[in-house]
Amino acid sequence: MKWLLVFLFHSTVILGLTVVSQIGGVVYLVCLLLARYVFHWSVQKQVLLFFSAYTIAIFLIVPKIALYFEREPLPIFGNSLRPLTMVTYVLNRHYVHSQLKEIIEEKASLIARRYPGTVTYYLDANFPFINGFPLIPHLSHKDGKKIDLAFYYKSKDNKQYVASSPSWIGYGVYDAPKLTEVNWPERCGEQGYWQYSATQYLVPSWSEGKYEVEEERTRFLLQSLAKTKNIQKVFLEPHLAERWGISSLDKIRFHGCHAVRHDDHIHVQIH
Ligand SMILES: [Zn+2]
């Protein structure tokens, strides 16, 4: 009976690590087999081996192998472009096709030149390997050609730009429709698409009252993306596209009720 529980425990860990980080499950399995059957190490040493091997893998090995899958990691400590949370790169969720990397880096430096001190934060992109391997819960982020970007924000008190976000993961704090605006979150909810506004449950709303979207920078980024040849489409909630006067740009699209709402982040994809 004990072996069954041990087997179930390790299987669950391997599955969970694979789902959230793609390579964590493989690293765990190799470390487990080596530590148990080759080195005969204690559990503490096994854990230490896993964390050491995983760290070496994500920083030194994975970026090199990812090149064979035409994917590269985005910068993690850049001045003008970096992840909103370190969880993104610790879990290998910051890999993109080289062409998308070039575009995002170019947009981030364009914004930083126009608005000095501005940081473009990226959210979930793609895993490093294998076309078709989805980055759950983003089912379409599976080919290196998709990325989510955070909005830019300002302080509600003094209206000054802040290099931060009301949500620590960038998702789940919405710039919701006003009374007179088109309200797709409500329509989708009424049609039974319960997942449409589900990201609000992912994050605590401690900072919700502190920040509001900095429209000028966010609109400028969206306009620039929509004018870029290799960009296929950009998803944004229709009430924001209308409010910001960019609904006529043909690459700025509504994604439909089957997705999650996009009044908390921008989804970008290339051809
Ligand atoms: Zn997305």
Side-chain angles (χ1 to χ4, degrees):
M1 194 63 195
K2 193 186 163 206
W3 71 265
L4 182 63
L5 287 175
V6 171
F7 176 78
L8 283 176
F9 171 78
H10 290 306
S11 304
T12 309
V13 173
I14 289 167
L15 184 67
L17 286 171
T18 304
V19 168
V20 299
S21 73
Q22 193 177 47
I23 65 147
V26 174
V27 176
Y28 183 87
L29 180 63
V30 171
C31 290
L32 183 69
L33 294 175
L34 280 176
R36 283 228 165 163
Y37 301 108
V38 179
F39 304 133
H40 305 287
W41 279 352
S42 64
V43 173
Q44 287 92 328
K45 277 191 175 174
Q46 287 177 29
V47 173
L48 196 65
L49 175 68
F50 168 71
F51 281 110
S52 309
Y54 184 77
T55 306
I56 291 168
I58 63 169
F59 288 113
L60 300 179
I61 301 169
V62 172
K64 290 192 171 62
I65 303 176
L67 290 174
Y68 294 100
F69 294 82
E70 293 185 305
R71 297 186 201 182
E72 292 182 58
L74 285 165
I76 52 180
F77 301 114
N79 285 329
S80 59
L81 178 67
R82 54 179 184 259
L84 182 64
T85 161
M86 64 179 283
V87 174
T88 308
Y89 66 83
V90 167
L91 297 180
N92 309 298
R93 302 166 81 93
H94 63 313
Y95 282 80
V96 287
H97 192 280
S98 312
Q99 207 174 60
L100 182 55
K101 184 182 183 195
E102 206 175 291
I103 293 172
I104 298 301
E105 286 184 326
E106 191 259 317
K107 299 304 171 200
S109 40
L110 179 73
I111 294 274
R113 280 200 305 277
R114 192 179 168 103
Y115 305 101
T118 301
V119 182
T120 298
Y121 288 111
Y122 63 83
L123 312 176
D124 278 338
N126 311 263
F127 284 134
F129 312 127
I130 310 171
N131 280 343
F133 194 112
L135 185 110
I136 288 173
H138 318 270
L139 296 180
S140 75
H141 290 219
K142 60 183 178 185
D143 53 8
K145 297 180 175 178
K146 322 285 189 323
I147 188 168
D148 292 341
L149 299 173
F151 291 159
Y152 301 102
Y153 289 91
K154 61 185 175 186
S155 159
K156 262 189 181 166
D157 295 334
N158 62 15
K159 308 295 180 195
Q160 294 297 306
Y161 164 77
V162 285
S164 189
S165 162
S167 159
W168 74 277
I169 52 169
Y171 302 98
V173 177
Y174 309 127
D175 193 345
K178 295 175 179 164
L179 278 177
T180 53
E181 293 177 328
V182 58
N183 192 331
W184 277 102
E186 195 175 82
R187 288 186 196 177
C188 293
E190 283 168 3
Q191 289 172 38
Y193 293 95
W194 61 270
Q195 91 297 336
Y196 198 73
S197 296
T199 45
Q200 66 186 306
Y201 303 112
L202 292 176
V203 288
S205 51
W206 301 319
S207 302
E208 201 170 335
K210 284 204 282 188
Y211 306 131
E212 59 191 32
V213 176
E214 205 290 316
E215 286 184 23
E216 195 181 323
R217 287 169 174 81
T218 309
R219 186 195 300 115
F220 182 74
L221 172 67
L222 285 159
Q223 285 169 328
S224 180
L225 286 167
K227 287 177 196 154
T228 303
K229 187 169 169 271
N230 288 333
I231 294 286
Q232 184 189 23
K233 51 190 171 186
V234 176
F235 287 149
L236 180 71
E237 208 61 31
H239 69 271
L240 292 181
E242 280 175 27
R243 189 190 300 169
W244 297 340
I246 50 174
S247 54
S248 60
L249 296 172
D250 68 338
K251 289 187 181 177
I252 298 202
R253 312 256 176 91
F254 175 49
H255 35 74
C257 289
H258 59 278
V260 294
R261 58 196 284 181
H262 283 67
D263 51 358
D264 55 348
H265 73 282
I266 302 163
H267 168 98
V268 182
Q269 64 186 73
I270 57 170
H271 286 289

